[in-house]
Structure formats: C-alpha cells, structure tokens
Amino acid sequence: MEEKIGHGFKLLISCPSGLSHSQIWDARVQQSSSLYNGTKFRYSGYNFDVGNNSKQQPHVSLHLGLTDYRTFMGTNLSPMWERFLVPSEDDCIQCQNTSSPLGNGAVVETSDKRILVLQRSNKVGEFPGYFVFPGDHPEVSYLMP
C-alpha cells in the first residue's frame, strides 16, 4: 500500500485507526496524556553513490517514507514486535512492516572533556527517565505543505 506524497516522499505503511495492537497506544495515552501522535519520517534504506566522474563527490541518499508515533508504538514497541519482521538478511526488507522512525543524535563534549547527556521525561512513551544523548526526530511538518 504505497502512496506518493508531495516532495518525493512515499507513505509506505498507513494505519490511521491503528494496528490490531492499538491497545498499546491507548494504554500508554492513559498512563501519560501528554503523548502526541506526530508524523515522523520512516527510514527505509539508503544508496551510496561514488559518482560517475571525478567532478562528482560521493554521497549518500536516504530513502524515507512517513510514519507516526502511534504506529511506532504499535509495531516497534509492541511486545509482539518480532511478528512484524520479514525473514531477510537485508534490514530494510526485514523491517518493512515496522515503523522505524528516523532519528538524529549528537555526542557533545564540553571544553572540560565531559560528555553531555539528557534525562528523558517520565511522561514519554519510550524509555521514560532514561539518560540519552541530545537528539530528536526531524519534523515532517516543516518540510511538507
């Protein structure tokens, strides 16, 4: 069920009413009413292009689709997450039925050689209270009309 969306993105999986395991999302929202079902970019592979001539620099192209936080909770964070995997050596094929939102992160070293970490809120759906490196998910709303 692939649908083309403006700016070259594809909707690779859409579950507007949730997956059959949507009770995971509902239970998490009851625990923390601050959860928000935001749209996220979904990682679905990459290409590494070394270039055809000496003037072209090598570059990496990411293949992105769209997903949302509810689908992530219903697939990747489901206690039955392994049921969504497809037998394959290729991670992109193996995880084609999971949400796999694209994230970014950084390791920040201070001038006195310390590493910056943040403590996640206890109101988030994934790893509440854990220490993490700074990062987040790119916002789709900034790039989509």
Side-chain angles (χ1 to χ4, degrees), residues 44-76:
S44 64
Y46 72 94
N47 285 347
F48 180 70
D49 187 358
V50 294
N52 294 333
N53 58 52
S54 61
K55 294 180 182 179
Q56 188 177 14
Q57 293 290 320
H59 64 277
V60 174
S61 298
L62 296 178
H63 300 274
L64 302 176
L66 295 177
T67 188
D68 59 34
Y69 197 54
R70 179 180 179 158
T71 304
F72 174 69
M73 300 283 285
T75 58
N76 299 49

Side-chain angles (χ1 to χ4, degrees), residues 31-49:
Q31 292 171 0
S32 177
S33 61
S34 65
L35 286 181
Y36 161 70
N37 187 29
T39 304
K40 306 290 181 198
F41 288 108
R42 177 187 183 279
Y43 174 76
S44 64
Y46 72 94
N47 285 347
F48 180 70
D49 187 358

Side-chain angles (χ1 to χ4, degrees), residues 27-139:
R28 297 278 178 111
V29 169
Q30 285 179 353
Q31 292 171 0
S32 177
S33 61
S34 65
L35 286 181
Y36 161 70
N37 187 29
T39 304
K40 306 290 181 198
F41 288 108
R42 177 187 183 279
Y43 174 76
S44 64
Y46 72 94
N47 285 347
F48 180 70
D49 187 358
V50 294
N52 294 333
N53 58 52
S54 61
K55 294 180 182 179
Q56 188 177 14
Q57 293 290 320
H59 64 277
V60 174
S61 298
L62 296 178
H63 300 274
L64 302 176
L66 295 177
T67 188
D68 59 34
Y69 197 54
R70 179 180 179 158
T71 304
F72 174 69
M73 300 283 285
T75 58
N76 299 49
L77 296 184
S78 167
M80 299 169 279
W81 64 272
E82 291 176 296
R83 292 184 183 180
F84 295 106
L85 299 180
V86 175
S88 175
E89 295 294 318
D90 183 327
D91 282 345
C92 292
I93 293 172
Q94 183 179 31
C95 298
Q96 67 185 341
N97 297 326
T98 61
S99 178
S100 303
L102 177 70
N104 57 61
V107 176
V108 179
E109 182 179 5
T110 63
S111 60
D112 60 350
K113 303 294 183 194
R114 295 178 183 259
I115 301 294
L116 177 69
V117 294
L118 306 172
Q119 186 173 18
R120 292 175 57 84
S121 166
N122 286 317
K123 295 184 177 185
V124 296
E126 180 186 13
F127 304 111
Y130 277 55
F131 288 95
V132 296
F133 294 115
D136 205 349
H137 299 280
E139 291 296 325

